[in-house]
Amino acid sequence: TGVEITMTKTPSDTTCELGTTFKWKDYGKPIAEPKNGWLAIKDFTMVRYNNQYIVYLTYTPQAGGFLAGYMDPFADFPNAAAAGQYVMPNRLPGVAPELIYFTPKKQWVFTTQWCGGGFCYTTGTDPTKPTTFNATTQSLLSENVTANAPIDQVVICDDDKCYLFYADDAGGIFRGSMPKANFPSKFTGTTRILKENDAAKLFEAVEVYKLKGQKKYIMIVECGYPRYFRAFTATDLGGTWTPIANTININTPFAGPKNVTNGWSNDISHGEIVRTGYDEYREIDPCNMKMIYQGLTSGGDYSKLPYRMGLITRIP
């Protein structure tokens, strides 16, 4: 017909390779400080929902120790400093929360550790209103598979199955799965999938995400000391996880003091890569990678470490 048509990709269609080297720029200071006389805020989980960030966390009261809490929703990261911080209602047990929206059953699933000796979950209807979460929790894991208590759980699903990943603070990463139709429920028969003899090389705070536009996944694991993250990739959540070659130690980490500029923290510790949404696929965008983390500038008693919320942005 003589009509010329030109097609271009919109930004939302763009797919970026993850790459093998990482550099980050810090916000330059904490984006949120503890309120209410608390000593610390840490162990953040975050989703983007209705154009706002929803954050649940662990906080440290003046007496020390750890309890679950949450923040008021905020529109963008500069607004995090003004967001209120609160004790989790109903005194839901556990710390180190994780949050997803489970699409098949149209319910929010909130998981924690250190509840009844392992991991627990509860469900709710509105992440902006923690009182909508059921005050009665259920066990997420049926067994302890190591002499060390399991720590830092995360749940992610594909089209067919849901998977539980967690660490053991002793150099091991574990995985379990169940049919997606059965979730949320109790995982059984979890097995170790990664092992280091040096516990500091695979420590805790495991997180798993799907890469946008790709049949590929990334796992990050906190190591130390000081705290930094290693990274692994897989093409199947139930498959083999391969280390990203240039993220194997503290000198060339996925994210750590050695590859963060404008930094204020001694550690890049337990955090969350900013997800594109909030559902069970836990998708992140390699074209635009940001990560919130717990940081600090001094040491001392672990139960009273003064963690704050930090933010780093990947430098292309």
Side-chain angles (χ1 to χ4, degrees):
T1 62
V3 176
E4 181 177 336
I5 298 174
T6 301
M7 300 181 69
T8 60
K9 287 186 176 182
T10 65
S12 62
D13 294 328
T14 303
T15 300
C16 297
E17 291 299 319
L18 183 63
T20 59
T21 58
F22 298 85
K23 295 181 180 179
W24 306 81
K25 183 177 180 179
D26 198 278
Y27 189 73
K29 62 181 181 179
I31 62 170
E33 302 269 358
K35 299 181 185 295
N36 312 318
W38 296 347
L39 297 178
I41 51 175
K42 58 189 300 251
D43 299 341
F44 307 107
T45 187
M46 181 176 69
V47 296
R48 184 72 172 170
Y49 175 70
N50 285 350
N51 296 317
Q52 292 183 308
Y53 289 110
I54 312 297
V55 175
Y56 287 82
L57 50 84
T58 302
Y59 72 89
T60 300
Q62 283 290 333
F66 312 107
L67 296 167
Y70 66 100
M71 297 174 66
D72 279 331
F74 52 90
D76 205 353
F77 294 111
N79 308 118
Q85 299 169 12
Y86 309 96
V87 176
M88 195 69 184
N90 304 324
R91 290 291 182 179
L92 286 172
V95 297
E98 291 283 356
L99 180 68
I100 58 171
Y101 179 71
F102 189 55
T103 309
K105 296 182 180 176
K106 295 181 172 59
Q107 58 187 193
W108 291 88
V109 181
F110 180 86
T111 67
T112 57
Q113 70 177 37
W114 298 354
C115 44
F119 304 131
C120 299
Y121 75 90
T122 187
T123 59
T125 58
D126 186 345
T128 68
K129 298 177 181 178
T131 53
T132 68
F133 284 96
N134 193 322
T136 301
T137 59
Q138 305 293 323
S139 176
L140 187 67
L141 177 64
S142 65
E143 78 277 18
N144 288 340
V145 295
T146 70
N148 301 80
I151 190 170
D152 293 341
Q153 80 297 331
V154 64
V155 174
I156 181 173
C157 307
D158 59 22
D159 290 339
D160 302 311
K161 292 183 178 181
C162 290
Y163 294 82
L164 171 70
F165 293 84
Y166 63 90
D168 66 359
D169 265 0
I173 302 298
F174 293 76
R175 176 181 63 202
S177 67
M178 69 172 67
K180 196 168 183 177
N182 294 352
F183 185 78
S185 185
K186 186 184 295 185
F187 288 89
T188 60
T190 55
T191 58
R192 188 171 63 199
I193 59 170
L194 293 172
K195 173 63 178 175
E196 290 279 4
N197 292 329
D198 182 353
K201 292 183 178 179
L202 277 180
F203 194 47
E204 57 190 26
V206 57
E207 298 282 357
V208 184
Y209 304 94
K210 182 184 183 299
L211 299 181
K212 179 182 176 183
Q214 303 174 50
K215 181 63 174 176
K216 193 172 184 179
Y217 301 88
I218 181 173
M219 174 196 297
I220 61 173
V221 182
E222 183 179 342
C223 310
Y225 296 93
R227 302 299 183 96
Y228 68 96
F229 280 89
R230 294 177 63 188
F232 304 78
T233 58
T235 56
D236 182 342
L237 287 169
T240 300
W241 290 86
T242 303
I244 298 177
N246 294 320
T247 70
I248 60 174
N249 58 49
I250 194 169
N251 293 315
T252 59
F254 171 75
K258 294 286 188 179
N259 67 346
V260 172
T261 61
N262 199 39
W264 59 272
S265 174
N266 298 337
D267 293 338
I268 302 296
S269 184
H270 198 141
E272 171 93 272
I273 300 177
V274 178
R275 298 181 236 167
T276 60
Y278 49 82
D279 64 24
E280 71 273 16
Y281 294 98
R282 290 177 55 89
E283 183 185 82
I284 62 169
D285 184 1
C287 300
N288 180 25
M289 288 183 66
K290 296 179 184 291
M291 181 177 175
I292 58 171
Y293 69 94
Q294 61 183 44
L296 79 175
T297 58
S298 61
D301 180 349
Y302 180 75
S303 69
K304 296 184 179 181
L305 287 176
Y307 282 111
R308 275 83 176 114
M309 180 189 287
L311 171 70
I312 53 177
T313 301
R314 188 180 180 185
I315 302 171

